[in-house]
């Protein structure tokens, strides 16, 4: 009996230690710009971590007070939660497998396209109005104007995916740099629909562009992979 209780205690300790980084990862995701605008996995991750913690505490109580029914609940519930955690990790890995950026000539930053991402992820940004308003409230584009005044300096910087997609027109559109969020339009803007969506109005920029949606998905992909 003592040996069994020690084994359960050791398992519970591992479960408690496991739940802390899971809860921490969920809380971290809620603070990131992309995931704060598109709430998908933060709360499932936090809830899963809290449930693992609660079940581990129940196991401690059952082992300490020798309550067989509570121990049976603990074993079944922990097994289910471990399976759910594995399924969540595999799912996140599967939907973020695609989505690497594309290299543009004479640019250090990458650019992103919606077709690069999984269908499931693309469906998360179909209701764009709320997400766009959330992105507009950030300072990610304004920060570029304060830092980069010369075109070559801007072209040599490694922009975040959202800055690359939302704060400037796509490179293939052929716009001429004035500052990071103000560009002179070429004569022909028919290269891509995003070329016509671009606006020098600071509240518009490329927030309506597919490149902005792709940049958001690329950021979510990076954040989820770090949390995973």
């Amino acid at each position: 009996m003592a040996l069994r209780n020690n084994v359960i205690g050791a398992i519970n300790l591992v479960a408690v230690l496991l739940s802390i980084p899971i809860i921490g990862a969920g809380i971290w995701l809620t603070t990131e710009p992309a995931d704060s605008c598109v709430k998908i996995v933060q709360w499932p991750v936090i809830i899963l971590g809290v449930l693992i913690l609660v079940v581990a505490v129940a196991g401690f109580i059952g082992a300490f007070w020798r309550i067989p029914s509570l121990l049976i609940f603990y074993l079944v519930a922990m097994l289910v939660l471990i399976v759910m955690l594995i399924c969540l990790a595999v799912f996140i890995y599967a939907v973020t497998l695609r989505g690497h950026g594309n290299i543009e000539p004479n640019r250090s930053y990458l650019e992103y396209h919606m077709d690069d991402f999984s269908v499931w992820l693309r469906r998360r940004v179909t209701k764009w109005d709320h997400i766009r308003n959330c992105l507009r409230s950030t300072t990610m584009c304004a920060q570029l104007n304060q830092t980069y005044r010369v075109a070559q300096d801007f072209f040599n910087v490694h922009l975040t995916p959202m800055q690359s997609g939302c704060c400037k027109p796509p490179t293939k559109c052929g716009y001429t740099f004035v500052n990071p969020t103000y560009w002179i339009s070429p004569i022909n803007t028919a290269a891509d629909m995003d070329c016509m969506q671009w606006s020098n109005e600071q509240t518009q920029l490329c927030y309506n562009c597919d490149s902005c949606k792709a940049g958001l998905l690329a950021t979510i992909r990076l954040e989820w992979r770090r949390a995973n």
Side-chain angles (χ1 to χ4, degrees):
M1 179 65 73
L3 178 61
R4 187 179 69 178
N5 288 344
N6 289 338
V7 171
I8 293 175
I11 295 173
N12 284 336
L13 179 60
V14 172
V16 169
L17 295 176
L18 177 64
S19 69
I20 294 172
I22 293 174
I23 296 171
I27 294 173
W28 174 75
L29 285 174
T30 63
T31 64
E32 292 301 293
D35 280 279
S36 62
C37 292
V38 185
K39 297 177 176 63
I40 304 175
V41 299
Q42 301 96 314
W43 285 110
V45 169
I46 292 173
I47 291 170
L48 187 58
V50 170
L51 288 175
I52 291 174
L53 181 60
V54 169
V55 170
V57 171
F60 273 121
I61 295 172
F64 184 80
W65 293 102
R66 298 180 182 180
I67 306 173
S69 58
L70 193 56
L71 287 176
I72 293 173
F73 164 78
Y74 157 76
L75 292 172
V76 173
M78 188 58 72
L79 177 62
V80 171
L81 289 174
I82 290 173
V83 171
M84 289 175 63
L85 181 62
I86 293 172
C87 290
L88 180 61
V90 171
F91 172 76
I92 290 175
Y93 177 80
V95 299
T96 59
L97 196 58
R98 298 170 52 195
H100 300 282
N102 301 282
I103 299 173
E104 295 292 337
N106 303 316
R107 302 290 189 271
S108 294
Y109 49 75
L110 301 176
E111 296 195 350
Y112 302 85
H113 307 293
M114 287 291 284
D115 291 340
D116 296 337
F117 299 92
S118 66
V119 174
W120 188 88
L121 265 184
R122 294 203 301 265
R123 287 175 179 167
R124 301 312 105 190
V125 294
T126 52
K127 297 179 180 179
W128 183 245
D129 289 347
H130 169 74
I131 300 172
R132 180 184 59 215
N133 292 335
C134 179
L135 294 177
R136 282 175 179 167
S137 67
T138 68
T139 60
M140 62 177 178
C141 296
Q143 290 173 349
L144 297 177
N145 286 335
Q146 298 170 3
T147 308
Y148 305 103
R149 303 289 184 180
V150 180
Q152 197 55 49
D153 290 343
F154 181 72
F155 297 152
N156 288 336
V157 73
H158 294 281
L159 300 176
T160 67
M162 288 199 300
Q163 287 175 328
S164 176
C166 305
C167 302
K168 64 169 191 60
T171 300
K172 62 184 174 183
C173 297
Y175 279 73
T176 302
F177 177 94
V178 177
N179 66 45
T181 61
Y182 194 95
W183 300 68
I184 298 174
S185 175
I187 296 174
N188 181 15
T189 59
D192 189 275
M193 183 62 69
D194 281 356
C195 301
M196 293 183 283
Q197 293 284 2
W198 168 261
S199 171
N200 285 319
E201 173 60 44
Q202 297 301 292
T203 59
Q204 299 296 325
L205 300 180
C206 222
Y207 290 120
N208 287 317
C209 300
D210 281 347
S211 64
C212 187
K213 297 177 183 178
L216 174 70
L217 294 182
T219 305
I220 288 174
R221 176 183 179 273
L222 291 173
E223 291 173 357
W224 287 8
R225 291 223 153 191
R226 287 173 189 164
N228 205 24

